Amino acid sequence: MAILERFGDIIRANINDMLDKMEDPAIMIDQYLIDLLEDLAEVKRSTAEIMGEETRTKRLVDNNKAEVEKYAELAKKALVAGNEGDARTFLAKKQELENLDSELMDVYAAAHENAMKMRQMHDKLAADIQTLQARRTMIKSKVSIAKTQEIINEASSSANQTEDAMDAFTRMEEKADRMLDEANAMAELNIEPIDPAQALEEKYGEAGNTSVDEELVKLKQELGLQ
């Protein structure tokens, strides 16, 4: 039957494998649930139809058995009443119904097998849906946490880049300090040496015009050293 072929993969399906293949579980799980619920509705309708066929064929089997038993009883009653011809008629009908019983049993067996397959698919599909619904909140929470972690990772990466920039600025500042120190040192080296005599001359003003010996004699006299 087409319905059995269409939903045959439901029996072989593994719900965990399906979840693993989802690119974005938070989005796909909702769509997957919608699809499964639509499939479940169709499977439910088909299962009810096939189970109804099973019930109908079982009723035919039971009714036929009842007819066989009825004609067997009628044949007995005919013999008891001394009507052998009637008994033969009832027994012939009984045999006809017994031959039909085999065909009815085959039909019922096929209907029963189909109904069992459909019930199996229905039950598994319903169980898969319950599993997804139970895990839906957990899956969405995990996806949300994962996305938040991605944001944190990006922010952390930006923070690391900022830290690298700060390190670069520090290195540039240290280099600028060295350049300034070298420039100051060079400026000091470029200053011409000061003549000690000229320095004394500026210190003592006009006295600098007197000879050293004269100045020295004068100084001794003032100090009472002569």
Coordinates of all heavy atoms in Angstrom, one line a residue, residues 105-186:
M105 N -9.9 -15.8 5.9 CA -8.8 -15.8 6.9 C -7.5 -15.1 6.2 O -6.8 -14.4 6.9 CB -8.5 -17.2 7.3 CG -9.4 -17.7 8.4 SD -9.5 -16.8 9.9 CE -7.8 -17.0 10.5
D106 N -7.3 -15.4 5.0 CA -6.1 -14.8 4.3 C -6.3 -13.3 4.2 O -5.4 -12.5 4.4 CB -6.0 -15.4 2.9 CG -5.5 -16.8 2.9 OD1 -5.0 -17.2 3.9 OD2 -5.7 -17.5 1.9
V107 N -7.6 -12.9 3.8 CA -7.8 -11.4 3.7 C -7.7 -10.8 5.1 O -7.1 -9.7 5.2 CB -9.3 -11.2 3.2 CG1 -9.6 -9.7 3.3 CG2 -9.4 -11.7 1.8
Y108 N -8.2 -11.4 6.1 CA -8.1 -10.9 7.5 C -6.6 -10.8 7.9 O -6.2 -9.8 8.5 CB -8.9 -11.7 8.5 CG -8.6 -11.4 9.9 CD1 -9.0 -10.2 10.5 CD2 -7.8 -12.2 10.7 CE1 -8.7 -9.8 11.8 CE2 -7.5 -11.9 12.0 CZ -7.9 -10.7 12.6 OH -7.6 -10.4 13.8
A109 N -5.8 -11.8 7.6 CA -4.4 -11.9 8.0 C -3.7 -10.7 7.4 O -2.8 -10.0 8.0 CB -3.8 -13.2 7.6
A110 N -4.0 -10.4 6.1 CA -3.3 -9.3 5.4 C -3.7 -7.9 6.1 O -2.9 -7.1 6.3 CB -3.7 -9.3 3.9
A111 N -5.0 -7.8 6.3 CA -5.5 -6.6 7.0 C -4.9 -6.4 8.3 O -4.6 -5.3 8.8 CB -7.0 -6.6 7.0
H112 N -4.8 -7.5 9.1 CA -4.2 -7.4 10.4 C -2.8 -7.0 10.4 O -2.3 -6.2 11.2 CB -4.4 -8.8 11.1 CG -3.7 -8.9 12.5 ND1 -4.2 -8.2 13.6 CD2 -2.6 -9.5 12.9 CE1 -3.5 -8.4 14.6 NE2 -2.5 -9.2 14.2
E113 N -2.0 -7.6 9.4 CA -0.6 -7.2 9.3 C -0.4 -5.7 8.9 O 0.4 -5.0 9.5 CB 0.1 -8.1 8.2 CG 1.6 -7.8 8.0 CD 2.2 -8.7 7.0 OE1 1.5 -9.5 6.4 OE2 3.4 -8.5 6.7
N114 N -1.3 -5.3 8.0 CA -1.2 -3.8 7.6 C -1.6 -3.0 8.8 O -0.9 -1.9 9.1 CB -2.2 -3.5 6.5 CG -1.7 -4.1 5.2 OD1 -0.5 -4.4 5.0 ND2 -2.6 -4.3 4.2
A115 N -2.6 -3.4 9.6 CA -3.0 -2.6 10.8 C -1.8 -2.6 11.8 O -1.6 -1.5 12.4 CB -4.2 -3.2 11.4
M116 N -1.2 -3.7 12.0 CA 0.0 -3.7 12.9 C 1.1 -2.8 12.5 O 1.6 -2.1 13.3 CB 0.5 -5.2 13.0 CG -0.4 -6.1 13.7 SD -0.6 -5.8 15.5 CE 1.1 -6.2 16.0
K117 N 1.4 -2.8 11.2 CA 2.4 -1.9 10.7 C 2.1 -0.4 10.9 O 2.9 0.4 11.3 CB 2.7 -2.2 9.2 CG 3.4 -3.5 8.9 CD 3.6 -3.7 7.4 CE 4.2 -5.0 7.1 NZ 4.4 -5.2 5.7
M118 N 0.8 -0.1 10.6 CA 0.4 1.3 10.8 C 0.4 1.7 12.2 O 0.7 2.8 12.5 CB -1.0 1.4 10.1 CG -1.0 1.4 8.6 SD 0.1 2.5 7.8 CE -0.6 4.1 8.4
R119 N -0.1 0.8 13.1 CA -0.1 1.1 14.5 C 1.4 1.3 15.0 O 1.7 2.2 15.8 CB -0.7 0.0 15.3 CG -2.3 0.1 15.3 CD -2.9 -0.8 16.4 NE -2.6 -2.2 16.1 CZ -3.5 -3.0 15.5 NH1 -4.7 -2.5 15.1 NH2 -3.2 -4.3 15.3
Q120 N 2.3 0.5 14.5 CA 3.7 0.6 14.9 C 4.3 2.0 14.4 O 4.9 2.7 15.2 CB 4.5 -0.5 14.3 CG 6.0 -0.5 14.7 CD 6.7 -1.7 14.0 OE1 6.3 -2.3 13.1 NE2 7.9 -1.9 14.6
M121 N 4.0 2.4 13.2 CA 4.4 3.7 12.7 C 3.8 4.8 13.4 O 4.4 5.8 13.8 CB 4.1 3.8 11.2 CG 5.1 3.0 10.3 SD 4.9 3.4 8.5 CE 3.3 2.6 8.2
H122 N 2.5 4.7 13.7 CA 1.8 5.7 14.4 C 2.4 5.9 15.8 O 2.7 7.0 16.3 CB 0.3 5.4 14.6 CG -0.4 6.3 15.5 ND1 -0.5 6.1 16.8 CD2 -1.1 7.5 15.2 CE1 -1.2 7.1 17.4 NE2 -1.6 7.9 16.4
D123 N 2.6 4.8 16.5 CA 3.2 4.9 17.9 C 4.6 5.4 17.9 O 4.9 6.2 18.8 CB 3.2 3.5 18.5 CG 1.7 3.0 18.8 OD1 0.8 3.8 18.7 OD2 1.6 1.8 19.0
K124 N 5.4 5.0 16.9 CA 6.8 5.6 16.9 C 6.8 7.0 16.5 O 7.6 7.8 17.2 CB 7.6 4.8 15.9 CG 9.1 5.3 15.9 CD 10.0 4.5 14.9 CE 11.4 4.9 15.1 NZ 11.7 6.3 14.9
L125 N 6.0 7.4 15.6 CA 5.9 8.8 15.2 C 5.4 9.7 16.4 O 6.0 10.8 16.7 CB 5.0 9.0 14.0 CG 4.9 10.4 13.4 CD1 6.3 10.9 13.0 CD2 4.0 10.4 12.2
A126 N 4.4 9.2 17.1 CA 3.9 9.9 18.3 C 5.0 10.0 19.3 O 5.1 11.1 20.0 CB 2.7 9.2 18.8
A127 N 5.7 8.9 19.5 CA 6.8 8.9 20.5 C 7.9 9.9 20.1 O 8.5 10.6 21.0 CB 7.4 7.5 20.7
D128 N 8.3 10.0 18.8 CA 9.3 10.9 18.4 C 8.9 12.3 18.6 O 9.7 13.2 19.0 CB 9.6 10.7 16.9 CG 10.4 9.4 16.6 OD1 10.9 8.9 17.6 OD2 10.5 9.0 15.5
I129 N 7.6 12.6 18.4 CA 7.1 14.0 18.6 C 7.2 14.3 20.0 O 7.6 15.5 20.4 CB 5.7 14.1 18.0 CG1 5.7 14.0 16.5 CG2 5.0 15.4 18.5 CD1 4.3 14.0 15.9
Q130 N 6.8 13.4 20.9 CA 6.9 13.7 22.3 C 8.3 13.9 22.8 O 8.6 14.8 23.6 CB 6.3 12.5 23.1 CG 4.8 12.4 23.0 CD 4.3 11.2 23.9 OE1 5.0 10.3 24.3 NE2 3.0 11.2 24.1
T131 N 9.3 13.2 22.2 CA 10.7 13.4 22.5 C 11.1 14.7 22.1 O 11.8 15.4 22.8 CB 11.5 12.3 21.8 OG1 11.2 11.0 22.2 CG2 13.0 12.5 22.0
L132 N 10.8 15.2 20.9 CA 11.2 16.5 20.4 C 10.5 17.6 21.2 O 11.2 18.6 21.6 CB 10.7 16.7 18.9 CG 11.6 16.0 17.9 CD1 11.1 16.3 16.5 CD2 13.0 16.6 17.9
Q133 N 9.3 17.4 21.5 CA 8.6 18.5 22.3 C 9.2 18.6 23.7 O 9.4 19.7 24.3 CB 7.1 18.1 22.5 CG 6.3 18.4 21.2 CD 4.9 17.9 21.2 OE1 4.6 17.0 22.0 NE2 4.0 18.5 20.4
A134 N 9.6 17.4 24.3 CA 10.3 17.4 25.6 C 11.7 18.1 25.5 O 12.1 18.7 26.5 CB 10.4 16.0 26.1
R135 N 12.3 17.9 24.4 CA 13.7 18.4 24.3 C 13.7 19.8 23.6 O 14.8 20.4 23.6 CB 14.5 17.4 23.5 CG 14.7 16.1 24.1 CD 15.5 15.1 23.2 NE 16.8 15.6 23.0 CZ 17.7 14.9 22.2 NH1 17.3 13.9 21.5 NH2 18.9 15.4 22.0
R136 N 12.6 20.3 23.2 CA 12.6 21.5 22.4 C 13.1 22.7 23.2 O 14.0 23.4 22.8 CB 11.1 21.8 22.0 CG 10.9 23.1 21.2 CD 9.5 23.3 20.9 NE 9.2 24.5 20.2 CZ 8.0 24.9 19.9 NH1 7.0 24.2 20.2 NH2 7.9 26.0 19.2
T137 N 12.6 22.9 24.4 CA 13.1 24.0 25.3 C 14.5 23.9 25.6 O 15.3 24.9 25.5 CB 12.3 24.0 26.6 OG1 10.9 24.1 26.3 CG2 12.7 25.2 27.5
M138 N 15.0 22.7 25.9 CA 16.4 22.5 26.2 C 17.3 22.8 25.0 O 18.3 23.5 25.1 CB 16.6 21.0 26.6 CG 18.1 20.7 26.9 SD 18.4 18.9 27.2 CE 18.0 18.2 25.6
I139 N 16.9 22.3 23.8 CA 17.6 22.6 22.6 C 17.7 24.1 22.4 O 18.8 24.6 22.1 CB 17.0 21.9 21.4 CG1 17.2 20.4 21.6 CG2 17.6 22.3 20.1 CD1 16.5 19.5 20.5
K140 N 16.6 24.8 22.5 CA 16.6 26.2 22.2 C 17.4 27.0 23.2 O 18.1 27.9 22.9 CB 15.1 26.8 22.2 CG 14.3 26.3 21.0 CD 13.1 27.2 20.8 CE 12.5 27.0 19.5 NZ 11.5 28.0 19.2
S141 N 17.4 26.5 24.5 CA 18.2 27.1 25.5 C 19.7 27.0 25.2 O 20.5 27.9 25.4 CB 17.9 26.5 26.9 OG 16.6 26.8 27.3
K142 N 20.1 25.8 24.8 CA 21.5 25.5 24.4 C 21.9 26.4 23.3 O 23.0 26.9 23.3 CB 21.7 24.0 24.1 CG 21.6 23.1 25.3 CD 21.9 21.7 25.0 CE 21.9 20.8 26.2 NZ 22.2 19.4 25.9
V143 N 21.0 26.5 22.3 CA 21.4 27.3 21.1 C 21.6 28.8 21.5 O 22.5 29.5 21.1 CB 20.3 27.2 20.0 CG1 20.5 28.2 18.9 CG2 20.3 25.8 19.4
S144 N 20.7 29.2 22.4 CA 20.8 30.6 22.9 C 22.1 30.8 23.7 O 22.8 31.9 23.5 CB 19.6 30.9 23.8 OG 19.7 32.2 24.4
I145 N 22.4 29.9 24.5 CA 23.7 30.0 25.3 C 24.9 30.0 24.3 O 25.8 30.7 24.5 CB 23.8 28.8 26.3 CG1 22.7 29.0 27.4 CG2 25.2 28.7 26.9 CD1 22.7 27.8 28.3
A146 N 24.8 29.1 23.3 CA 25.9 29.1 22.3 C 26.1 30.4 21.6 O 27.2 30.9 21.4 CB 25.6 27.9 21.3
K147 N 24.9 31.0 21.2 CA 25.0 32.3 20.5 C 25.6 33.4 21.4 O 26.3 34.3 21.0 CB 23.6 32.7 20.0 CG 23.2 31.8 18.8 CD 21.8 32.3 18.3 CE 21.4 31.4 17.1 NZ 20.1 31.8 16.5
T148 N 25.2 33.3 22.7 CA 25.7 34.3 23.7 C 27.2 34.1 23.8 O 28.0 35.1 23.9 CB 25.0 34.1 25.0 OG1 23.6 34.3 24.9 CG2 25.5 35.1 26.1
Q149 N 27.6 32.8 23.9 CA 29.1 32.6 24.0 C 29.8 33.1 22.8 O 31.0 33.6 22.9 CB 29.3 31.1 24.1 CG 30.7 30.7 24.4 CD 31.2 31.2 25.7 OE1 30.6 31.1 26.7 NE2 32.4 31.9 25.7
E150 N 29.2 33.0 21.6 CA 29.9 33.6 20.4 C 30.1 35.1 20.5 O 31.1 35.6 20.2 CB 29.0 33.3 19.2 CG 29.0 31.8 18.8 CD 28.1 31.5 17.6 OE1 27.4 32.5 17.1 OE2 28.0 30.4 17.2
I151 N 29.0 35.7 21.1 CA 29.1 37.2 21.3 C 30.3 37.5 22.3 O 31.0 38.4 22.1 CB 27.8 37.8 21.8 CG1 26.7 37.6 20.7 CG2 27.9 39.2 22.2 CD1 25.3 38.0 21.2
I152 N 30.3 36.7 23.4 CA 31.4 36.9 24.4 C 32.7 36.7 23.7 O 33.7 37.4 24.0 CB 31.2 35.9 25.6 CG1 29.9 36.3 26.3 CG2 32.4 36.0 26.5 CD1 29.5 35.4 27.4
N153 N 32.8 35.6 22.9 CA 34.1 35.4 22.2 C 34.5 36.5 21.3 O 35.7 36.9 21.3 CB 34.0 34.1 21.4 CG 33.8 32.8 22.3 OD1 34.1 32.9 23.5 ND2 33.3 31.8 21.7
E154 N 33.6 37.1 20.6 CA 33.9 38.2 19.8 C 34.3 39.4 20.6 O 35.3 40.1 20.2 CB 32.7 38.6 18.9 CG 32.3 37.5 17.9 CD 31.1 37.9 17.1 OE1 30.5 39.0 17.4 OE2 30.7 37.1 16.2
A155 N 33.6 39.7 21.7 CA 34.0 40.8 22.6 C 35.4 40.6 23.2 O 36.2 41.5 23.3 CB 32.9 40.9 23.7
S156 N 35.6 39.3 23.6 CA 37.0 39.0 24.1 C 38.0 39.2 23.1 O 39.1 39.7 23.4 CB 37.0 37.5 24.6 OG 38.3 37.2 25.1
S157 N 37.7 38.9 21.8 CA 38.7 39.1 20.8 C 39.0 40.6 20.6 O 40.1 41.0 20.4 CB 38.2 38.5 19.5 OG 39.1 38.8 18.4
S158 N 37.9 41.4 20.7 CA 38.1 42.9 20.6 C 38.9 43.4 21.7 O 39.7 44.3 21.5 CB 36.7 43.5 20.5 OG 36.0 43.1 19.4
A159 N 38.6 42.8 22.9 CA 39.4 43.3 24.1 C 40.9 43.0 23.9 O 41.7 43.7 24.3 CB 38.8 42.6 25.3
N160 N 41.1 41.8 23.4 CA 42.5 41.4 23.1 C 43.2 42.4 22.1 O 44.4 42.7 22.3 CB 42.6 40.0 22.6 CG 42.2 39.0 23.7 OD1 42.4 39.3 24.9 ND2 41.8 37.8 23.3
Q161 N 42.4 42.8 21.1 CA 43.0 43.7 20.1 C 43.2 45.1 20.8 O 44.3 45.7 20.5 CB 42.0 43.9 19.0 CG 41.8 42.6 18.1 CD 40.8 42.8 17.0 OE1 40.1 43.8 17.0 NE2 40.6 41.8 16.2
T162 N 42.4 45.5 21.7 CA 42.6 46.7 22.4 C 43.8 46.7 23.3 O 44.6 47.6 23.4 CB 41.4 47.1 23.3 OG1 40.2 47.2 22.5 CG2 41.5 48.4 24.0
E163 N 44.0 45.5 23.9 CA 45.2 45.3 24.8 C 46.4 45.4 23.9 O 47.4 46.0 24.3 CB 45.1 44.0 25.5 CG 46.2 43.7 26.5 CD 46.0 42.4 27.2 OE1 44.9 41.9 27.1 OE2 47.0 42.0 27.9
D164 N 46.4 44.8 22.7 CA 47.5 44.8 21.8 C 47.8 46.3 21.4 O 49.0 46.7 21.3 CB 47.3 44.0 20.6 CG 47.2 42.5 20.9 OD1 47.7 42.1 22.0 OD2 46.6 41.7 20.1
A165 N 46.7 47.1 21.2 CA 46.9 48.5 20.8 C 47.6 49.2 21.9 O 48.5 50.1 21.7 CB 45.6 49.1 20.4
M166 N 47.1 49.0 23.2 CA 47.7 49.6 24.3 C 49.2 49.3 24.5 O 50.0 50.2 24.8 CB 47.0 49.2 25.6 CG 45.5 49.7 25.7 SD 45.4 51.5 25.8 CE 46.1 51.8 27.4
D167 N 49.5 48.0 24.2 CA 50.9 47.6 24.3 C 51.8 48.4 23.2 O 52.9 48.8 23.5 CB 51.1 46.1 24.1 CG 50.5 45.3 25.2 OD1 50.4 45.9 26.3 OD2 50.2 44.2 25.1
A168 N 51.2 48.5 22.0 CA 51.9 49.2 21.0 C 52.1 50.7 21.3 O 53.2 51.3 21.1 CB 51.0 49.1 19.7
F169 N 51.1 51.3 21.9 CA 51.2 52.7 22.3 C 52.3 52.9 23.4 O 53.0 53.9 23.4 CB 49.9 53.3 22.9 CG 49.0 53.8 21.8 CD1 48.2 53.0 21.0 CD2 49.0 55.2 21.5 CE1 47.4 53.6 20.0 CE2 48.2 55.8 20.5 CZ 47.4 54.9 19.8
T170 N 52.3 51.9 24.3 CA 53.3 51.9 25.4 C 54.7 51.9 24.8 O 55.6 52.6 25.2 CB 53.1 50.8 26.4 OG1 51.8 50.9 27.0 CG2 54.2 50.8 27.5
R171 N 54.9 51.0 23.8 CA 56.2 50.9 23.2 C 56.6 52.1 22.4 O 57.7 52.6 22.5 CB 56.2 49.7 22.2 CG 56.2 48.3 22.9 CD 56.5 47.2 21.9 NE 55.5 47.1 20.9 CZ 54.4 46.4 20.9 NH1 54.1 45.7 22.0 NH2 53.5 46.4 19.9
M172 N 55.6 52.7 21.8 CA 55.8 54.0 21.1 C 56.2 55.1 22.1 O 57.1 56.0 21.8 CB 54.6 54.4 20.2 CG 54.5 53.6 19.0 SD 53.1 54.1 17.9 CE 51.7 53.6 18.8
E173 N 55.5 55.1 23.2 CA 55.8 56.2 24.2 C 57.2 56.0 24.8 O 58.0 56.9 25.0 CB 54.8 56.1 25.4 CG 54.9 57.2 26.4 CD 53.9 57.1 27.5 OE1 53.2 56.1 27.5 OE2 53.8 58.0 28.3
E174 N 57.6 54.7 25.0 CA 59.0 54.5 25.5 C 60.0 54.9 24.5 O 61.1 55.5 24.8 CB 59.1 53.0 25.8 CG 58.3 52.5 27.0 CD 58.4 51.0 27.2 OE1 58.9 50.3 26.3 OE2 57.9 50.5 28.3
K175 N 59.7 54.6 23.2 CA 60.6 55.1 22.2 C 60.7 56.6 22.1 O 61.8 57.2 21.9 CB 60.2 54.5 20.8 CG 61.1 54.8 19.7 CD 60.7 54.2 18.4 CE 61.6 54.5 17.2 NZ 61.2 53.9 16.0
A176 N 59.6 57.3 22.3 CA 59.6 58.8 22.3 C 60.4 59.3 23.4 O 61.2 60.3 23.3 CB 58.2 59.3 22.3
D177 N 60.3 58.6 24.6 CA 61.1 59.1 25.8 C 62.6 58.9 25.5 O 63.4 59.8 25.8 CB 60.7 58.2 27.0 CG 59.3 58.6 27.5 OD1 58.8 59.7 27.2 OD2 58.7 57.8 28.3
R178 N 63.0 57.8 24.9 CA 64.4 57.6 24.5 C 64.9 58.6 23.6 O 66.0 59.2 23.7 CB 64.6 56.2 24.0 CG 64.4 55.1 25.0 CD 65.0 53.7 24.5 NE 64.4 53.3 23.2 CZ 63.3 52.6 23.1 NH1 62.7 52.2 24.3 NH2 62.8 52.2 22.0
M179 N 64.0 58.9 22.6 CA 64.4 59.9 21.6 C 64.6 61.3 22.3 O 65.6 62.0 22.0 CB 63.4 60.0 20.5 CG 63.3 58.8 19.6 SD 61.9 58.8 18.4 CE 62.4 60.2 17.4
L180 N 63.7 61.6 23.2 CA 63.8 62.9 23.9 C 65.1 63.0 24.8 O 65.8 64.0 24.8 CB 62.6 63.2 24.7 CG 62.5 64.5 25.5 CD1 62.6 65.7 24.6 CD2 61.2 64.5 26.4
D181 N 65.4 61.9 25.5 CA 66.6 61.8 26.3 C 67.8 62.0 25.5 O 68.8 62.7 25.8 CB 66.6 60.5 27.1 CG 65.5 60.4 28.1 OD1 65.0 61.5 28.5 OD2 65.2 59.3 28.6
E182 N 67.8 61.3 24.3 CA 69.0 61.4 23.4 C 69.1 62.8 22.9 O 70.3 63.4 22.8 CB 68.9 60.4 22.3 CG 69.0 59.0 22.7 CD 68.7 58.0 21.6 OE1 68.5 58.5 20.4 OE2 68.7 56.8 21.8
A183 N 68.0 63.5 22.6 CA 68.1 64.8 22.0 C 68.6 65.8 23.1 O 69.4 66.7 22.8 CB 66.7 65.3 21.6
N184 N 68.1 65.6 24.4 CA 68.6 66.5 25.5 C 70.1 66.3 25.7 O 70.8 67.3 25.9 CB 67.8 66.2 26.7 CG 66.4 66.7 26.6 OD1 66.1 67.6 25.9 ND2 65.5 66.1 27.4
A185 N 70.5 65.0 25.6 CA 71.9 64.8 25.9 C 72.8 65.4 24.8 O 73.9 66.0 25.0 CB 72.2 63.3 25.9
M186 N 72.3 65.3 23.5 CA 73.0 65.9 22.4 C 73.1 67.4 22.6 O 74.1 68.0 22.3 CB 72.3 65.5 21.1 CG 73.0 66.0 19.9 SD 74.7 65.3 19.7 CE 74.3 63.6 19.3

